[in-house]
């Protein structure tokens, strides 16, 4: 909590404990105004008009005072204790102060100084004097306030936005897209809406923006920016508490909001998988909007990443009530000309009335005339009431017509043409008028780019150099980085930029920041992205390269150990700066950042971009060291996107394996990562011979490393592979050893992220299956119950779904169909909630299988075959013999021998090809059943051979479960043939070898048969 300050006006100082902070007259006036309006927003314009009422100064004068006050108070912008920045609008005093002298009456009655503006928007219609304290204390984050704004030509669109706002305020969530090309006035309309809402009780507004240079590669950037800004307001602590409870994964991405203890606690919980990540934020927003309207403005979505688009779609589709109003702007041409996911997402939402679009067009002539009359009331008197609003005789109509002809109504072009026509009156340095005669001159630009060039060429050489350098950083830039690029002092750069800010044409001041290295810098931004783009295009290629490289190096120095936070930005700067080795490294880091946010599409883009740059690296060893982690991580990301058995995954890991086996000397951890990733791909693909070799290599590497986690993974690989090969004794030993190695892990969330599901949970499920195959049925059920009780199973969606599926399959094999159906249905339901349909396919297959068995109905068999076809189309051949046996069994139960025979023939082929032997005995038993079906083809001798063959295979595998089934069926056949003694002699020892599980169906059937014998 901030220490209480004592404000002594007469002594012009603040007291902080025993320390005395002397104040200059201007600083004292700023503090007095802020403290007098504590808890309320003090806009920059109000402060300028009050403190510098008789002076012509820019925002820099104010930000300098704020910077000095923060330095003296030990305050910061990211975690304010006294002065809170309300982004792009002003400041709010949030600290505690005693002995305060209220602002003078004169100060309260100060009216804003009328200044010229280039923005086409009206001033707010709300009388601030009538605002209640409750309304004024809302957490509002908006745009920079522009005095004397003139709003024209957008009344209908504004009314539409206000109608959507009213619906959102009633709990009907709204997603509205504001579309239009560059300079059309999207930001201006959003500014006007913000002004209309700013004093609305229980309303919060926050803003996030995409950046062209790295927006598409930085997952959730605009939303994280908006959330971070909201959290920095007076009401932000409540939202931080809600995020910690409902959306810890999101809060972890904003570490500056947290204490070290909070951050450590969140990191121990780990990162949620993508589906839960999205759901977390949705639930947090629904909680915060129970008692307030939250307006989230996201600008320039044409530069957004796929994950942000997916998040917006999910928020729009949710049915839960929320006072949530999301406004997203973008340029349609840039979206339509690319394969941006925003276009199909918006179309899908529109189809179901889950979003709305407001498209902005150019201004018409009447709107331009209205703007001129508002802007220059003394030069263009309004039309008399008796005259129509537009008259060819009226001067404003003539000027509007000429401006419209030149600009075609583009608002940004209109405003800038008007600015180029303004001249100072001879008798006043403050007021201006429009020089109409200049309209017909050749000095007025014919397009916006020409206008930008003319404005730029009017600046002096130093100003031009600073602006061109600033354009390299992007739409926003820091004075300290510009200074570094130009080898100038930061203060000198700020003084020059301060002069530019006063021109109001190109840039505006944003705020003063404390950077990660502890230094202070002022952040500026271009008034419109077109200015930054136009200035950047003026740079020669050589100069761009040099500036990008120098800028990247300066940012590395500023961010130090936190440099990974801006990996995307640095990757692009070093790529443009032709320092390709650094660009590749930062692409790798940016991809890893995206994986941590479950933004797998963005991760793939980063890794592939890094790989594309490898041709620029000539040194073979260096190129290999850069390529290996890119290929390995690319394989990880593609597994989630396309499935573990996808061909693209195999290509990535195959290339990584080639690098490891080449001259590049990779370490043990790298080799293991490649081998284990390749094992997962090959294993799910069903090639068990190669899986065994890779598993053995993993085990050898893990033993060399003496790393418990790697040993756990190696045992996991061998346990799974050997189980499917029918080597159950060895598989059980590896499963036990693997779980002992994993036992040191308190949580496996991080591992779960890299392996689709938590490996320790999967290994426990494999162990349960092994115990079932070996005839230890009670132990199998117990092992599966222990697996379901793991924390990770309850907290990781993919692991939850697969664990329930594994357990449901076990109960199906045990003949506990009700329990099996319950767990399989739950798995399917959760997969639908978490939007992970690929994990529901197996559960749906076995649910249908249990229903087919219970109903003896063949109508469900084509559905089972279709689900298996979907899985196999993705390259997943593992467990194919088990799936096909179940389908063949269904056809047997419904007396369809031809269909069953065809499927079992395919099973025989897979057994030979993939060495998947665990279900071989079960397959031979089913083939024997085929020969016993009624009809001319019935052959008891052939059936007996197959039953005996199945029994021998099962006994060799020590698979007592399948041995019991084969022996029971053969004993039943012998009983029908009158071979009672032989049947008893066959079944008795196998039945008596069981020590548990007598309540389950197979043992009960064997018991009843023995009683009959």
């Amino acid at each position: 909590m901030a220490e209480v300050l004592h404000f002594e006006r007469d002594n012009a100082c603040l007291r902080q404990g025993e320390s005395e902070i002397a104040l200059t007259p201007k600083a004292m006036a700023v503090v007095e105004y802020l403290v007098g309006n504590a808890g309320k927003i003090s806009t920059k314009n109000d402060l300028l008009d009050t403190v510098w009422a008789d002076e012509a100064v820019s925002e820099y004068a104010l930000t300098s005072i704020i910077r000095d006050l923060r330095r003296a108070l030990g305050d910061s912008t990211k975690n304010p204790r006294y002065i809170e920045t309300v982004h792009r609008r002003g400041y709010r005093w949030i600290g505690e102060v005693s002995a305060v002298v209220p602002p003078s009456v004169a100060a309260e009655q100060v009216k804003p100084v009328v200044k010229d503006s280039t923005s086409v928007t009206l001033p707010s219609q709300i009388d601030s004097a009538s605002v209640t304290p409750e309304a004024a204390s809302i957490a509002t984050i908006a745009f920079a306030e522009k005095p004397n704004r003139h709003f024209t030509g957008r009344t209908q669109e504004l009314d539409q936005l206000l109608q959507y706002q009213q619906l959102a305020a009633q709990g009907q969530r709204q997603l509205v897209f504001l579309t239009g090309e560059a300079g059309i006035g999207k930001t201006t309309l959003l500014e006007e809406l913000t002004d209309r809402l700013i004093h609305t009780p229980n309303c919060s507004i926050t803003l996030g923006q995409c950046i062209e240079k790295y927006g598409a590669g930085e997952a959730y950037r605009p939303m994280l920016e908006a959330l971070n800004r909201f959290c920095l307001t007076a009401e932000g602590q409540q939202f931080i508490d809600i995020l910690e409870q409902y959306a810890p994964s999101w809060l972890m991405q904003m570490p500056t909001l947290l204490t070290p203890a909070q951050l450590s606690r969140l990191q121990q919980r780990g990162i949620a998988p993508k589906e839960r990540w999205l759901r977390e934020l949705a639930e947090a927003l629904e909680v915060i909007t129970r008692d307030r309207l939250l307006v989230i403005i996201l600008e320039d979505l044409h530069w957004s990443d796929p994950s942000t688009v997916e998040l917006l779609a999910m928020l729009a589709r949710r049915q839960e009530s929320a006072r949530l109003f999301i406004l997203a702007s973008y340029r349609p041409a840039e979206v339509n000309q690319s394969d941006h996911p925003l276009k199909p997402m918006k179309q899908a939402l529109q189809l179901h009335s889950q979003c709305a679009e407001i498209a902005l067009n150019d201004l018409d002539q009447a709107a331009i005339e209205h703007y001129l009359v508002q802007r220059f009331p003394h030069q263009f008197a309004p039309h008399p009431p008796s005259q129509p609003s537009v008259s060819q005789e009226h001067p404003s109509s003539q000027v509007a017509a000429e401006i419209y002809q030149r600009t075609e109504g583009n608002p940004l072009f209109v405003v800038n043409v008007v600015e180029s026509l303004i001249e100072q009156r001879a008798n006043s340095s403050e007021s201006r008028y429009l020089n109409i005669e200049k309209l017909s001159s050749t000095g007025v630009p014919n397009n916006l780019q020409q206008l930008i060039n003319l404005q730029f060429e009017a600046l002096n050489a130093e100003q031009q150099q600073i602006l061109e350098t600033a354009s390299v950083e992007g739409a926003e830039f820091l004075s300290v980085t510009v200074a570094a690029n130009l080898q100038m002092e930061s203060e000198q750069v700020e003084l020059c930029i301060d002069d530019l800010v006063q021109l109001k044409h190109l840039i505006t001041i944003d705020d003063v920041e404390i950077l990660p290295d502890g230094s202070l810098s002022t952040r500026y931004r271009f008034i419109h992205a077109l200015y930054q783009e136009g200035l950047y295009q003026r740079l020669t290629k050589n100069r761009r390269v040099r500036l990008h490289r120098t800028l990247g190096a300066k940012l590395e120095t500023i961010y130090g150990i936190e440099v990974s936070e801006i990996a995307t930005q640095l990757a692009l700067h070093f790529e443009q700066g032709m320092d390709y080795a650094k660009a590749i490294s930062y692409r790798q880091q940016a991809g890893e950042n995206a994986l941590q946010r479950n933004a797998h599409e963005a991760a793939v883009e980063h890794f592939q971009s890094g790989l594309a740059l490898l041709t620029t690296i000539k040194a073979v060893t260096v190129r290999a060291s850069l390529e290996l982690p890119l290929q390995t991580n690319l394989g990880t990301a593609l597994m989630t996107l396309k499935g573990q058995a996808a061909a693209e995954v195999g290509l990535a890991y195959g290339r990584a394996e080639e690098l490891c086996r080449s001259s590049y000397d990779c370490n043990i951890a790298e080799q293991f990562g490649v081998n284990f990733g390749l094992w997962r791909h090959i294993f799910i693909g069903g090639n068990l011979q190669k899986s065994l070799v890779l598993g053995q290599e993993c085990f050898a590497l893990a033993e060399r490393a003496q790393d418990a986690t790697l040993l756990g993974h190696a045992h996991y690989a061998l346990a799974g592979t050997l189980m499917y090969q029918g080597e159950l004794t060895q598989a059980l030993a590896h499963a036990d050893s693997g779980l002992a190695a994993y036992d040191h892990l308190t949580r496996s969330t991080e591992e779960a992220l890299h392996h689709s599901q938590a490996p320790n949970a999967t290994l426990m499920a494999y162990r349960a299956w092994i115990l079932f195959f070996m005839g230890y049925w009670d132990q199998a059920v117990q092992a599966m119950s222990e697996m379901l009780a793991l924390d990770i199973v309850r907290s990781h969606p993919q692991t939850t779904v697969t664990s329930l599926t594994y357990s449901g399959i076990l109960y199906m094999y045990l003949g506990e169909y009700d329990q099996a159906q319950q767990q399989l249905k739950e798995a399917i339901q959760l997969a639908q909630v978490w939007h992970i349909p690929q994990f529901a396919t197996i559960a749906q297959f076995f649910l249908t299988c249990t229903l087919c068995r219970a109903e003896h109905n063949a109508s469900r068999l084509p559905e089972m075959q279709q689900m298996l076809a979907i899985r196999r189309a993705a390259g997943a051949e593992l467990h194919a013999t088990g799936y096909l046996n179940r389908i063949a069994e269904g056809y047997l139960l419904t007396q369809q021998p031809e269909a069953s025979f065809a499927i079992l023939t395919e099973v025989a082929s897979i057994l030979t090809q993939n060495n998947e032997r665990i279900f071989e005995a079960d397959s031979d038993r089913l083939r024997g059943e085929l020969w016993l079906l009624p009809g001319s083809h019935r052959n008891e001798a052939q059936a007996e051979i197959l039953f005996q063959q199945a029994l021998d295979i099962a006994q060799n595998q020590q698979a007592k479960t399948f041995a019991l089934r084969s022996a029971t069926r053969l004993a039943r056949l012998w009983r029908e043939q009158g071979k009672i003694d032989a049947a008893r002699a066959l079944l008795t020892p196998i039945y008596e070898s069981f020590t548990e599980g007598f309540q389950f169906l197979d043992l009960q059937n064997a018991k009843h048969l023995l009683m009959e014998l």
Side-chain angles (χ1 to χ4, degrees):
M1 181 178 291
E3 187 174 0
V4 177
L5 296 177
H6 300 275
F7 178 38
E8 298 181 4
R9 188 180 188 280
D10 292 340
N11 295 327
C13 73
L14 283 171
R15 290 192 181 277
Q16 187 179 39
E18 299 298 322
S19 303
E20 179 180 303
I21 303 169
L23 301 175
T24 64
K26 293 298 185 187
M28 183 180 69
V30 169
V31 171
E32 185 174 0
Y33 191 91
L34 289 173
V35 171
N37 292 278
K40 301 179 183 179
I41 299 171
S42 297
T43 67
K44 294 177 181 179
N45 289 320
D46 287 347
L47 284 161
L48 288 169
D49 295 339
T50 302
V51 179
W52 289 272
D54 300 319
E55 304 173 57
V57 298
S58 73
E59 290 180 4
Y60 182 68
L62 172 60
T63 55
S64 297
I65 293 287
I66 296 293
R67 177 185 58 198
D68 293 342
L69 285 170
R70 282 175 169 155
R71 181 182 293 145
L73 295 169
D75 207 8
S76 73
T77 54
K78 291 187 175 180
N79 296 291
R81 299 181 299 155
Y82 300 106
I83 303 173
E84 173 196 359
T85 297
V86 182
H87 191 72
R88 296 189 181 180
R89 190 163 188 85
Y91 305 95
R92 175 164 37 206
W93 187 273
I94 60 175
E96 227 182 306
V97 180
S98 66
V100 177
V101 179
S104 65
V105 174
E108 291 180 357
Q109 294 178 346
V110 169
K111 295 182 179 180
V113 177
V114 177
K115 303 177 183 177
D116 291 300
S117 171
T118 62
S119 66
V120 187
T121 180
L122 278 175
S124 173
Q125 302 297 311
I126 299 176
D127 181 5
S128 60
S130 65
V131 177
T132 64
E134 177 189 15
S137 66
I138 61 173
T140 304
I141 306 168
F143 304 83
E145 182 170 308
K146 299 181 182 178
N148 194 30
R149 296 197 290 198
H150 310 279
F151 184 69
T152 186
R154 300 288 186 238
T155 304
Q156 181 178 350
E157 291 87 350
L158 178 61
D159 288 343
Q160 286 180 276
L161 289 175
L162 290 171
Q163 290 172 11
Y164 289 124
Q165 175 260 326
Q166 288 295 322
L167 291 173
Q170 296 168 14
Q172 302 177 41
R173 65 178 68 214
Q174 300 293 316
L175 172 60
V176 178
F177 293 103
L178 188 63
T179 63
E181 299 312 326
I184 202 69
K186 299 184 293 295
T187 298
T188 298
L189 180 55
L190 293 173
E191 290 172 354
E192 178 61 20
L193 176 69
T194 302
D195 276 354
R196 298 294 180 93
L197 299 180
I198 189 171
H199 297 298
T200 303
N202 296 320
C203 174
S204 300
I205 307 172
T206 186
L207 169 71
Q209 191 165 21
C210 301
I211 303 297
E212 178 184 17
K213 290 186 179 297
Y214 47 90
E218 192 163 344
Y220 307 109
R221 185 187 192 280
M223 183 61 76
L224 283 168
E225 181 183 8
L227 296 177
N228 192 80
R229 286 174 173 167
F230 185 34
C231 289
L232 290 175
T233 65
E235 288 76 8
Q237 186 57 51
Q238 179 191 4
F239 190 44
I240 291 174
D241 294 341
I242 289 173
L243 286 175
E244 184 170 9
Q245 180 179 355
Y246 291 91
S249 300
W250 288 82
L251 187 57
M252 201 187 311
Q253 304 304 311
M254 298 176 276
T256 58
L257 301 174
L258 304 169
T259 64
Q262 286 177 307
L263 182 58
S264 176
R265 185 167 64 248
L266 290 176
Q267 288 173 338
Q268 289 177 4
R269 297 174 66 173
I271 301 292
K274 185 170 188 176
E275 298 74 20
R276 185 178 172 194
W277 173 288
L278 298 178
R279 186 166 52 89
E280 278 186 5
L281 182 60
E283 292 176 353
L285 291 175
E286 285 156 12
V287 172
I288 197 66
T289 57
R290 285 173 185 170
D291 57 359
R292 71 170 54 245
L293 170 65
L294 178 58
V295 181
I296 301 177
I297 297 173
L298 304 176
E299 287 201 279
D300 298 328
L301 280 193
H302 48 276
W303 292 323
S304 67
D305 61 287
S307 296
T308 295
V309 174
E310 185 178 357
L311 171 63
L312 292 178
M314 189 272 291
L315 291 174
R317 290 184 176 118
R318 283 179 70 89
Q319 299 299 311
E320 290 78 2
S321 174
R323 295 181 176 88
L324 180 63
F325 185 18
I326 300 177
L327 263 168
S329 68
Y330 70 88
R331 302 178 193 172
E334 298 202 24
V335 169
N336 294 335
Q337 290 171 4
S338 65
D339 57 352
H340 200 289
L342 183 59
K343 181 179 179 180
M345 181 272 275
K346 189 193 73 172
Q347 291 173 341
L349 292 178
Q350 285 179 321
L351 187 64
H352 298 90
S353 301
Q354 292 168 329
C355 75
E357 179 180 6
I358 297 177
L360 298 186
N361 299 312
D362 291 321
L363 300 175
D364 58 21
Q365 183 178 326
I368 297 174
E369 181 181 358
H370 184 255
Y371 167 61
L372 293 173
V373 172
Q374 288 190 75
R375 182 81 186 274
F376 307 98
H378 300 295
Q379 188 173 1
F380 300 117
H383 289 277
S386 59
Q387 295 184 14
S389 61
V390 178
S391 169
Q392 293 184 356
E393 288 76 24
H394 200 277
S396 61
S397 299
Q398 298 172 10
V399 177
E402 293 197 47
I403 292 176
Y404 178 77
Q405 184 176 3
R406 283 184 179 275
T407 65
E408 297 183 344
N410 180 279
L412 183 64
F413 198 6
V414 168
V415 170
N416 280 277
V417 166
V418 168
E419 286 295 328
S420 70
L421 299 175
I422 289 177
E423 289 187 357
Q424 301 289 343
R425 290 189 190 277
N427 62 349
S428 172
S429 62
E430 290 298 324
S431 57
R432 300 180 179 184
Y433 75 100
L434 204 62
N435 188 336
I436 302 173
E437 288 73 20
K438 285 181 66 176
L439 262 175
S440 57
S441 72
T442 57
V444 177
N446 293 315
N447 57 61
L448 201 52
Q449 184 59 53
Q450 186 183 21
L451 182 146
I452 293 171
N453 290 336
L454 287 173
Q455 290 178 339
F456 181 77
E457 289 163 4
L459 304 176
N460 62 43
E462 185 180 52
Q463 290 172 328
Q464 290 182 8
Q465 188 180 39
I466 286 175
L467 281 181
E468 285 180 335
T469 303
S471 72
V472 173
E473 190 164 351
E476 297 182 354
F477 60 92
L478 295 169
S479 58
V480 67
T481 52
V482 174
N485 245 329
L486 295 176
Q487 297 183 340
M488 297 170 61
E489 292 295 325
S490 183
E491 291 76 7
Q492 182 184 352
V493 170
E494 289 185 355
L495 287 172
C496 184
I497 297 178
D498 184 44
D499 293 334
L500 291 170
V501 169
Q502 294 186 59
L503 296 175
K504 303 186 183 70
H505 295 332
L506 297 171
I507 60 175
T508 184
I509 196 168
D510 202 351
D511 205 351
V512 177
E513 290 188 13
I514 300 178
L515 300 175
D517 65 352
S519 63
L520 284 172
S521 181
T522 305
R523 181 174 291 278
Y524 301 89
R525 58 187 173 86
F526 287 93
I527 288 177
H528 199 284
L530 288 175
Y531 295 143
Q532 181 267 328
E533 295 165 10
L535 293 173
Y536 184 76
Q537 293 302 320
R538 294 174 60 92
L539 295 169
T540 64
K541 182 176 180 180
N542 286 342
R543 193 172 173 207
R544 286 185 196 175
V545 169
R546 180 178 60 79
L547 291 173
H548 276 294
R549 185 176 293 196
T550 306
L551 175 58
K554 180 61 177 177
L555 289 172
E556 283 183 312
T557 302
I558 289 172
Y559 278 83
I561 61 173
E562 300 176 19
V563 74
S564 63
E565 295 180 9
I566 58 167
T568 302
Q569 188 176 351
L570 287 173
L572 288 160
H573 284 311
F574 284 118
E575 184 174 343
Q576 294 298 319
M578 299 180 70
D579 188 340
Y580 296 117
K582 279 193 172 182
I584 293 168
S585 295
Y586 281 117
R587 281 290 187 183
Q588 164 69 19
Q589 181 62 62
E592 290 180 2
N593 292 348
L595 285 179
Q596 286 297 311
R597 295 178 181 176
N598 291 292
H600 296 91
E601 298 92 341
V604 168
E605 180 182 342
H606 283 302
F607 298 138
Q608 290 178 338
S609 296
L611 290 169
L613 292 174
L614 285 171
T615 56
T616 63
I617 308 299
K618 303 306 179 185
V620 175
T621 303
V622 174
R623 187 167 64 243
S625 67
L626 292 170
E627 183 180 2
L628 182 61
L630 286 170
Q631 294 286 10
T632 304
N633 282 289
L634 176 61
T636 298
L638 288 171
M639 277 188 178
T640 300
L641 285 179
K642 297 180 177 295
Q644 296 183 72
E648 298 92 329
V649 174
L651 289 174
Y653 278 113
R655 173 57 183 162
E657 182 188 36
E658 182 182 336
L659 288 168
C660 279
R661 297 186 187 279
S662 68
S663 57
Y664 170 57
D665 186 22
C666 58
N667 59 45
I668 292 178
E670 289 175 322
Q671 291 180 34
F672 187 94
V674 171
N675 280 20
F676 190 62
L678 192 57
W679 170 81
R680 291 164 62 200
H681 169 70
I682 298 296
F683 179 64
I684 298 299
N687 188 337
L688 295 178
Q689 294 98 323
K690 190 171 182 179
S691 295
L692 181 61
V693 173
L694 287 167
Q696 291 168 340
E697 290 179 359
C698 285
F699 186 74
L701 289 168
E703 283 197 313
R704 283 172 55 193
Q706 286 300 296
D707 182 287
T709 302
L710 299 187
L711 277 169
H713 293 344
H715 284 300
Y716 164 49
L718 288 170
T721 302
L722 291 167
M723 176 185 73
Y724 276 103
Q725 286 187 326
E727 303 291 342
L728 297 179
T729 302
Q730 294 182 57
L732 182 60
H734 280 293
D736 289 336
S737 297
L739 291 174
Y742 280 142
D743 193 52
H744 78 288
L745 296 176
T746 56
R747 291 190 61 82
S748 295
T749 303
E750 182 177 352
E751 294 300 329
L753 282 176
H754 288 86
H755 307 303
S756 299
Q757 59 256 11
N760 60 338
T762 305
L763 184 54
M764 290 181 75
Y766 283 173
R767 182 176 181 274
W769 279 3
I770 294 168
L771 289 169
F772 162 74
F773 293 141
M774 297 181 75
Y776 301 111
W777 297 349
D778 289 341
Q779 293 181 56
V781 171
Q782 179 63 29
M784 201 67 82
S785 298
E786 291 172 359
M787 180 267 293
L788 291 174
L790 288 174
D791 288 341
I792 186 61
V793 170
R794 294 193 295 268
S795 61
H796 187 264
Q798 290 98 318
T799 302
T800 304
V801 173
T802 52
S803 297
L804 286 167
T805 302
Y806 292 149
S807 184
I809 294 171
L810 175 65
Y811 279 111
M812 185 204 72
Y813 278 125
L814 287 169
E816 298 292 310
Y817 297 136
D818 290 343
Q819 182 72 12
Q821 289 180 28
Q822 178 183 336
Q823 292 188 337
L824 293 169
K825 285 178 180 178
E826 185 179 357
I828 295 165
Q829 182 182 12
L830 290 175
Q832 292 170 344
V833 170
W834 287 323
H835 306 289
I836 44 176
Q838 67 274 23
F839 289 94
T841 304
I842 301 173
Q844 186 64 58
F845 177 94
F846 282 102
L847 175 62
T848 307
C849 181
T850 60
L851 293 171
C852 184
R853 280 189 172 193
E855 299 168 359
H856 289 269
N857 187 347
S859 63
R860 296 183 181 274
L861 293 172
E863 182 183 348
M864 293 172 62
Q865 289 178 293
Q866 183 180 9
M867 283 181 282
L868 177 57
I870 292 172
R871 179 169 169 79
R872 298 178 78 180
E877 288 290 333
L878 185 68
H879 205 104
T881 56
Y883 296 130
L884 290 169
N885 279 350
R886 302 285 70 75
I887 296 172
E889 187 175 43
Y891 281 121
L892 269 173
L893 292 172
T894 54
Q895 303 290 308
Q896 298 183 63
E898 293 81 5
S900 183
F901 180 79
I903 291 170
L904 290 173
T905 300
E906 184 180 359
V907 170
S909 174
I910 295 173
L911 287 169
T912 303
Q913 181 178 344
N914 293 345
N915 201 35
E916 187 176 275
R917 299 289 176 179
I918 186 60
F919 299 110
E920 183 177 10
D922 202 37
S923 176
D924 282 346
R925 177 183 63 81
L926 292 172
R927 289 169 62 203
E929 295 279 10
L930 270 177
W931 290 107
L932 295 180
L933 288 176
S936 58
H937 65 277
R938 181 179 172 89
N939 188 326
E940 293 184 1
Q942 188 62 39
E944 183 176 339
I945 293 172
L946 287 168
F947 291 148
Q948 187 63 60
Q949 183 174 300
L951 178 58
D952 293 341
I953 291 171
Q955 288 178 326
N956 286 335
Q957 294 177 348
Q958 298 188 37
K960 290 200 302 182
T961 295
F962 293 137
L964 177 68
R965 291 181 177 178
S966 300
T968 301
R969 190 63 189 89
L970 180 56
R972 183 174 288 110
L973 174 61
W974 283 349
R975 185 197 63 178
E976 293 170 358
Q977 294 174 342
K979 303 176 182 178
I980 304 299
D981 293 338
R984 186 185 307 108
L986 172 69
L987 186 55
T988 298
I990 294 175
Y991 177 82
E992 290 178 349
S993 69
F994 279 81
T995 58
E996 59 185 65
F998 294 101
Q999 72 274 26
F1000 294 114
L1001 186 61
D1002 283 330
L1003 279 172
Q1004 289 182 358
N1005 288 339
K1007 179 182 179 180
H1008 292 152
L1009 180 57
L1010 284 172
M1011 291 174 65
E1012 293 174 2
L1013 294 174

